Amino acid sequence: MCGIVGYIGMQEACPILIKGLRRLEYRGYDSAGVSMINEKGELNVFKAKGKVDDLEAFLSDKDISGTIGIAHTRWATHGIPCRENAHPHFSSSGTLSLIHNGIIENYATLKERLIEKGFTFVSDTDTEVLVQLIEYYKLEYKSDLLSAVQRALAQVIGAYAIAVLDKNNPDEIIAARKASPLAIGLGEGEYFLASDATPLVEYTHKVIYLDDDEIAVINRNSGLQIITLQGQAVNHEVSEINLDLGAIEKGGYEHFMLKEIFEQPDCLVNCMRGRINPEGTIVRFSSVIDNAEQLLNARRYIIVACGTSWHAGLIGKTLIENFCRIPVEVAYASEFRYSNPVIGNGDVVIAISQSGETADTLAAIELARSRGAFVYGIVNSVGSSIARNTQTGSYIHVGPEIGVASTKAFTGQVTVLTMLALCIAKERNTITQAELEEALGELLAIPGKMAEVLSQNDAIASLSRTFTYAQNFIYLGRGYNYPVALEGALKLKEISYIHAEGYPAAEMKHGPIALVDAEMPVVVVATNKLLYDKVLSNIQEIKARQGKVIAIVVKGDDTISKLVDYVIELPETAEFLYPLLASVPLQLLAYHIAVCKGKNVDQPRNLAKSVTVE
Ligand code: F6R
């Protein structure tokens, strides 16, 4: 969702803000804007529809001077993408400018009240209501900006990370958060603000993450002060960010998504490091050791997540049930949060999230905790809200994921779930040491095998050209491979805008097979040892209806391979590890089809990387 950047210090703000917006452009890219206070004390706001490049072009002949400023890249919630709706928003008098990430749910009521008081609006956004409300309190109570922000936020229902500038106080930025992330970078005599740490790393490694209902007053002379909405001072720990600048740049690849697909073998090595010993005899998680009572004796596990992370959760269910013999449910976080789940003491909720900021997953965690469940987070983004709001958990350690379509985070999540299932199973004695060692040996070999799969990139690229003009796709899989089919379909939809559906292969005959004709490409993940003959029959049914089958098979397969139109081979591994290998060619297939279609792979239309609103 929207990205926020801010700067106050001795340097010119605008170049820092623009660079920050580029780092955050993966969060929102339908419009962007900046606001600075210049030496003359003028508060300027410049905005443009489109990408940060469009904004930069627009700025070329403007007065962009000033050592204090805020900036925003937008993902539309209220109002279409256009210059008027872009942030920052001015207050009516032009003395305040404000940026916002989140949703003000009661904006319509507040707007009505403000209109009655004579305020006028130039945009359709909920954000403009907030800046006008702050102005109203400032005028009404003849107060300073901080008190006006406190009064306004007390009226707001919803989620926000905001930053405000006041023309009358060119030495201060006020920022606040509730349910939308906000990080403050601490430099030497300068401060930075951002929705996540990526814009901060080139300036500082010292960061404070604001908590909900907190306000930061960042003053050029008196420094940083953090208070609650009610005005009580808060002492915050300073976190150290260990983010390598190279990890957030493309490093010679055409797109972040391709870079991230190719990083996967290294990511999985990082993910396993320190958890599995090199001999492959032990798998350990301190989170399991420290919380053995809750995790080993759980009545039930419930996995909550959204999108790709939900698909990883489906694989997690099969892993935990097979290895640990604990029942597992998997819920969409967005459904779970508004259900009335039968959940409480004795239940463990596993929340999975790449960004660690997904609003629905955060709300699901809150509900689960309020009912007494123990919550375990599987997160990529270090220090994120989900990481901080769960009782324990594991990072996946795959590094920043910038491409909007999730790739390396998915395989990282599946790897953590696999290790976690094996660790819990061993502690519960539901697997033997010999079984554990066999499984760990196979898992340790996965990065090497993944690299073999990646070496087929050119062949997959040329296969993709055949399907550039397909209107629909079906993806099929069974058992561990069913979520892989769902994930393959999601990847294709997201970046190529081709309609795609994933099904458990045997479900075809209950309806979807009616869709199959000579125009229908069907991708079948056919690596199952146990259900090989069943999957073979499913493929025969599609071939009998002239469907074009692309099969993902195990190297050496000579039955399915002969029957289908196109084959992608995977190295042999254990049944439960095929999702890690099979998802790679599906990522590449989606990537190359989208590239052939000329789509913006890293920033697909309508999507945002971090879904911080409902
Ligand atoms: C798909 C994708 C989304 C996310 C979903 C959850 O490629 O990226 O479906 O998986 O929005 O996001 P996180 O994992 O950040 O909670």
Side-chain angles (χ1 to χ4, degrees), residues 82 90 97-98 215 247 288 295 306 308 343 447 470 472 517 587 589:
C82 63
F90 264 136
S97 68
L98 178 142
I215 299 181
V288 175
L295 295 172
C306 303
T308 289
I343 181 175
N472 300 285
D517 60 16
Q587 295 165 351
L589 190 68

Side-chain angles (χ1 to χ4, degrees), residues 86-196:
H87 305 205
H89 286 282
F90 264 136
S91 60
S92 281
S93 68
T95 52
L96 306 180
S97 68
L98 178 142
I99 49 176
H100 167 222
N101 168 23
I103 287 183
I104 309 299
E105 285 171 15
N106 58 338
Y107 85 104
T109 321
L110 296 172
K111 189 171 182 174
E112 236 169 70
R113 277 196 239 149
L114 288 164
I115 289 172
E116 278 165 23
K117 293 184 192 305
F119 282 81
T120 53
F121 290 82
V122 294
S123 81
D124 303 319
T125 64
D126 51 341
T127 303
E128 195 187 4
V129 175
L130 187 51
V131 72
Q132 304 282 34
L133 189 64
I134 295 170
E135 173 142 299
Y136 164 71
Y137 282 118
K138 210 166 168 265
L139 296 173
E140 182 72 10
Y141 291 89
K142 298 190 177 37
S143 75
D144 61 5
L145 178 61
L146 174 60
S147 313
V149 167
Q150 283 173 301
R151 285 197 172 95
L153 293 182
Q155 299 299 312
V156 158
I157 300 172
Y160 53 78
I162 58 163
V164 202
L165 292 184
D166 181 352
K167 184 180 170 162
N168 299 319
N169 188 356
D171 293 324
E172 198 163 278
I173 300 178
I174 298 219
R177 88 153 253 176
K178 182 180 192 137
S180 288
L182 201 51
I184 302 167
L186 315 178
E188 293 294 322
E190 56 185 357
Y191 293 90
F192 306 82
L193 265 181
S195 297
D196 65 41

Side-chain angles (χ1 to χ4, degrees), residues 200-310:
L200 310 178
V201 271
E202 56 198 286
Y203 307 105
T204 178
H205 285 264
K206 292 200 182 88
V207 169
I208 286 177
Y209 295 99
L210 275 197
D211 282 328
D212 280 351
D213 299 317
E214 287 181 354
I215 299 181
V217 182
I218 312 169
N219 188 287
R220 202 191 293 278
N221 307 312
S222 53
L224 169 69
Q225 196 202 354
I226 299 175
I227 55 170
T228 61
L229 272 190
Q230 293 72 32
Q232 276 156 347
V234 179
N235 265 334
H236 252 284
E237 249 182 54
V238 177
S239 308
E240 200 53 43
I241 30 171
N242 292 313
L243 207 65
D244 166 18
L245 209 52
I248 51 176
E249 286 172 354
K250 279 191 207 151
Y253 285 90
E254 204 181 328
H255 297 101
F256 279 111
M257 181 178 178
L258 190 62
K259 175 184 176 234
E260 286 158 7
I261 292 172
F262 270 84
E263 278 173 352
Q264 289 176 107
D266 288 341
C267 291
L268 298 202
V269 170
N270 285 339
C271 180
M272 290 188 249
R273 185 172 294 128
R275 289 163 170 168
I276 303 176
N277 65 340
E279 299 74 31
T281 53
I282 300 168
V283 57
R284 285 172 88 93
F285 279 92
S286 54
S287 51
V288 175
I289 298 165
D290 296 345
N291 301 284
E293 172 59 29
Q294 290 94 333
L295 295 172
L296 305 185
N297 304 320
R299 181 171 57 189
R300 178 179 59 148
Y301 279 41
I302 300 153
I303 298 177
V304 293
C306 303
T308 289
S309 301
W310 184 79

